Amino acid sequence: MEEGGSSTIDEAYVSNMDEVVVVPECSEDLKPVVGQKFKSLDFYFAFYDVYAWAIGFDTRKSQMRKADGIITWYSVVCNRQGSKKSSEDDQANARSGFSLKRRCLSTRCGCKASISFKLFSDGGVSGYTVEEFKEAHNHYMANIGPTVTFNVLKEIMGGFQLVGCNVGDIRNASRDIKAFAHGFDVQMVLDDMARKKEMSEAFTYEYEVNASNQLVALFWCDGLMKRNYHMFGDIVTFDTTYNTNRYCMIFAPFTGKDNHGRPVTFAAGLVSNEKTGAFAWLFRHFVQSMGVAPKMIVTDQDLGMRSAIEEILVGTRHRWCMWHIMHKLANKVPGWLLRDEDFKKNSMHVWFKTLYEYRQLWIPAYFRDFPMGSMIRTTSISESENSFYKNFLKPRNNLAEFYLNFNQAVDFQRNSRTKLDYQDATALPILATTQPFEKHASTLYTDSMFKKIQEEIVEGNDRCRVLGFSSADSVDTYKLGDNLRHSYFVRHDRTHESYYCDCKLFSRHDYLCSHVFFLFRNNEVKKIPDNYCASRWIKTPLVKAVHGHVDETLPTQSVVDERQNVSKQGISLFYGFLRRFETDIDVLRAFVGGLEELGNSLTAGTPLPSTSEKRRMIEQFYGMARPEVVEVHHPDVVKMKGHASCSASRLISKREKAIKDATRPLRRCKACDELCHHDSRNCPMLKELETENELRKGKRKC
């Protein structure tokens, strides 16, 4: 569960003998009410998710009932509902100090909080209504507001008297941090980028302003992003993301997948509109900074983006992302509307017709000749990146906060990769066969990819069989069958020790298939031939660039200034020594006393004034100084399709629709005399009567 940020939610804690009963308090507009009605399950799920996020817990879909293929009842529970299944093996494992198998923790504590919905149909209008709502939890919430922050600090510092502030101070600090950058945030970001450019020539940033000197476009990437692009940027995903900053500028990261199959960021941009020119500006600077265009770019179905790609990325293959298509399908076709034949004929026809007209941009058959490399799943990059950035970027952030959080997200991404590289260098995978080429593969490929390769080796070792054989000159041709009753021809060129399989797994995804591994076993191959070891999935020290030679002047790690490095080192040393000394009270006293003495000796004598100290602390939080002169100003709030602006005509999300419809007061329609969300001008009953009258008139004319 992510932090709730500026949430002001309070919680009522009630002691009930052996267990805690938590009845969260929040805005009445967000709280579900029995009898509340929703148009579809999508609205129902979205509304409860908003409530759960505001309170501070996660949800899990639990049970449902169907009749004639239609969902008639559904329940959603707190994700801490239920309990971990126990067994005698688990108990024995615990008694042995978890020496038998890894200790696996569970978050389930038997929480009863839940909500259930049932299908209703009234006057030709159907939907779902809240049947039961249990709001009490048996655990505390995960939402981090000022009160919880103060309690955490109290525990860390060792008591109320040592925190040095109260709850109000923390709330005020959050306010001051935002106010500090107000009107300065864009200039703060640009100044920081200029400073990074001075520290490293590899850092690139470009921006554009309008006639009022307001920011309208920004592009940036550092040296490590460039290095990663040359190593793994054969296929790039360009995915516009909304709700990441208070000005509603469109966040557009360029991403791909590294040799672990994990998302990696190559560059990022912010633009103020979704026109072809804005996207072309980003693509142009991306190619200029990288020196070479990607082999393939994957985007959503935006036609302005398509035009920009045709203009700038002339030799780049363009593909639509399947995740976006399937995501839009779910939005366009709520389950209960699938029963409406008129809806399927009219509303969906145009959308499907567009998909068919541009089928060469998304149907997999059109890309069988292209080495897909990182696209093991055609939906995976956009799906994972969408989820990843949502954990860091918040819609109310100013640009300084956005930039700070973006850098933290990239640091997290890079740290995760470093951990995986370390695991590859130190861990020994468990082998599934006795084949020597499997052991060789374990030394070549990253662990995440070796698992997939191992599946192919096991499949070839245990389940493949020869259905036919022929030989001509130095080429042997095998017809092999697998457990799925598929058959493929595999050709082995004995002169060059090369293999080619009709399944094309290697040419498409850059690792060998079970059919080739079967022939390795039959031909007693000990090691994977060198011509199959230049894969993008090789371990980091061995991996080769997909865009040719890498400029060795590009940094291999993030470039930060010396002050930040020393500050982080100091924090690490402090907590390291604290953990080491905390078991010996005498040594701990000596450590604290020595620290205090050293601090006093380094103090200049006169403490900084309160306002100067506050400014220094806030600038330290941002990692950026507030400028004295502002040359580039923040943009006005952007208004566009699908964007979180204040425009009444914009497309709003399912979540917003759920909140809006669920919180609107019911009123009585003069036409149908029902309490509902419509009036006599758009009453469904009147529309049905009008339709019937028109049909009758048509029959009379006949």
Side-chain angles (χ1 to χ4, degrees), residues 2 153 165 221 226 287 291 346 365 383 403 408 422 430 444 464 478 521 559 562-563 585 602 660 690:
E2 61 187 13
L153 286 173
C165 63
C221 63
K226 292 180 181 179
V287 175
N346 300 323
E383 184 178 5
Y403 183 59
Q408 290 175 343
Y422 176 78
I430 299 173
L444 292 176
C464 286
Y478 298 81
R521 188 196 70 175
V559 177
E562 187 65 15
R563 184 186 59 80
I585 185 62
L602 295 175
K660 184 177 178 180
E690 290 174 1

Side-chain angles (χ1 to χ4, degrees), residues 25 34 74 108 145 155 161 204 234 255 282 296 350 479 555 578 582 588 590 641 643 676 678:
E25 295 182 0
V34 173
Y74 216 123
R108 298 196 179 189
E155 294 298 325
Q161 72 280 8
T204 297
D234 50 348
T255 58
L282 284 177
M296 173 182 282
V350 174
K479 183 180 181 182
L578 188 65
E582 63 184 357
L588 189 60
K641 61 173 185 176
H643 203 277
C676 52
H678 65 257

Side-chain angles (χ1 to χ4, degrees), residues 591-692:
F591 171 66
V592 174
L595 194 64
E596 184 178 12
E597 183 179 349
L598 177 62
N600 291 334
S601 68
L602 295 175
T603 302
T606 304
L608 289 170
S610 176
T611 54
S612 299
E613 176 66 8
K614 180 184 291 186
R615 175 168 179 159
R616 184 192 66 79
M617 292 178 65
I618 295 177
E619 287 182 345
Q620 186 176 5
F621 168 81
Y622 280 114
M624 296 173 274
R626 189 171 71 178
E628 299 299 327
V629 178
V630 175
E631 296 177 350
V632 181
H633 302 279
H634 65 74
D636 297 324
V637 175
V638 177
K639 298 181 180 181
M640 61 191 63
K641 61 173 185 176
H643 203 277
S645 68
C646 301
S647 171
S649 62
R650 67 186 176 93
L651 299 176
I652 61 176
S653 67
K654 293 185 294 181
R655 176 178 290 184
E656 290 177 286
K657 287 180 180 178
I659 295 174
K660 184 177 178 180
D661 285 353
T663 56
R664 283 171 55 198
L666 295 174
R667 56 186 178 183
R668 189 173 298 279
C669 174
K670 293 181 180 179
C672 63
D673 200 35
E674 294 288 338
L675 285 173
C676 52
H677 286 141
H678 65 257
D679 56 23
S680 57
R681 293 173 299 176
N682 52 15
C683 178
M685 187 185 75
L686 284 182
K687 290 182 179 179
E688 290 181 5
L689 290 174
E690 290 174 1
T691 302
E692 290 178 4

